[in-house]
Each structure stands twice: as structure tokens, then as C-alpha cells.
Amino acid sequence: QVQLVESGGGLVQPGGSLRLSCAASGFIFSNADMGWYRQSPGKERELVAALDTVDRAEYADPVKGRGTISRDNAKNTLYLQMNRIKPEDAAAYYCNALYRSGNRWHLLFSSWGRGTEVTVSP
């Protein structure tokens, strides 16, 4: 069964950095396009970064230039490096597998991990 375990969140000051990790199992990770989502209170979950199987990355405008998505297929792990963190980056972050259709990314699995919480405070 698919398991996604996110980690690396925590309390960070504005301007600081974090690296989030997502350990994946239950599917062939190296064959999967992957993405990072985030959800803050009162808002819908949004896709902020995507990475395909040949390491082509795409970023949503809110994190473009500050986030870097990467993967280690040997460890079945997805990463998101976030720099110059802003208060609006505070959210629960989740990873999931994606597929591409109609020039858009779509969620592949209906199940989610528990996420990892990022809190931004001076």
C-alpha cells in the first residue's frame, strides 16, 4: 500500500530555510512524477512544486525562486528546500505522486500522509 511520510517541518524565522523530506513506499518511486502540496488554515491544498522522472521541475509562483524540489531515487525520498521563508509559507506540507494530463498536473493517489507543519515566526 502507498505510504508517504513527510518530515522536516518546524519553527523557522522569516528569511530562514528548511528542507522538507518525503519518504515514499508502496509504489515504484523512480517511475513516479512527484509533487509537494501545502495547505494553510482556511485555504485549499495547493501544488507548489512538481518534479518529473527526468528531474524537470515546475514551481508555483508563491515559491518560485525560493524553493527547490529534488529527489533521491535510491532512497525513495523527495525533498523540498525552501529558502528566504516568508510568513505566508506557514502551512502543512504534503507530498504525493502526480500525473500529467491536459498540460496540467493531477493527483495520482487519493491517500495522503500526515504532512509536516511549517510555522513561521520571528
Side-chain angles (χ1 to χ4, degrees):
Q1 97 219 37
V2 170
Q3 278 201 314
L4 301 161
V5 180
E6 299 91 352
S7 62
L11 177 64
V12 60
Q13 293 183 341
S17 298
L18 276 179
R19 189 174 83 152
L20 308 180
S21 300
C22 166
S25 61
F27 61 101
I28 303 174
F29 180 78
S30 59
N31 287 354
D33 300 326
M34 296 294 297
W36 280 100
Y37 288 79
R38 71 184 184 187
Q39 186 172 22
S40 49
K43 295 188 177 181
E44 291 189 357
R45 196 168 296 187
E46 61 174 347
L47 179 65
V48 295
L51 187 68
D52 69 11
T53 58
V54 291
D55 284 349
R56 288 176 298 204
E58 295 180 18
Y59 300 94
D61 286 344
V63 305
K64 200 172 290 184
R66 300 185 300 116
T68 302
I69 187 171
S70 61
R71 65 195 300 160
D72 185 337
N73 289 336
K75 296 181 179 180
N76 287 354
T77 301
L78 183 74
Y79 302 100
L80 181 67
Q81 176 72 38
M82 288 287 296
N83 299 324
R84 301 191 305 280
I85 287 178
K86 303 177 179 181
E88 51 263 43
D89 293 324
Y93 284 74
Y94 304 86
C95 66
N96 213 314
L98 305 172
Y99 69 94
R100 192 93 179 181
S101 176
N103 204 35
R104 289 183 59 191
W105 289 109
H106 300 268
L107 192 63
L108 183 61
F109 300 130
S110 58
S111 59
W112 293 90
R114 293 185 176 182
T116 186
E117 191 76 31
V118 173
T119 303
V120 184
S121 180

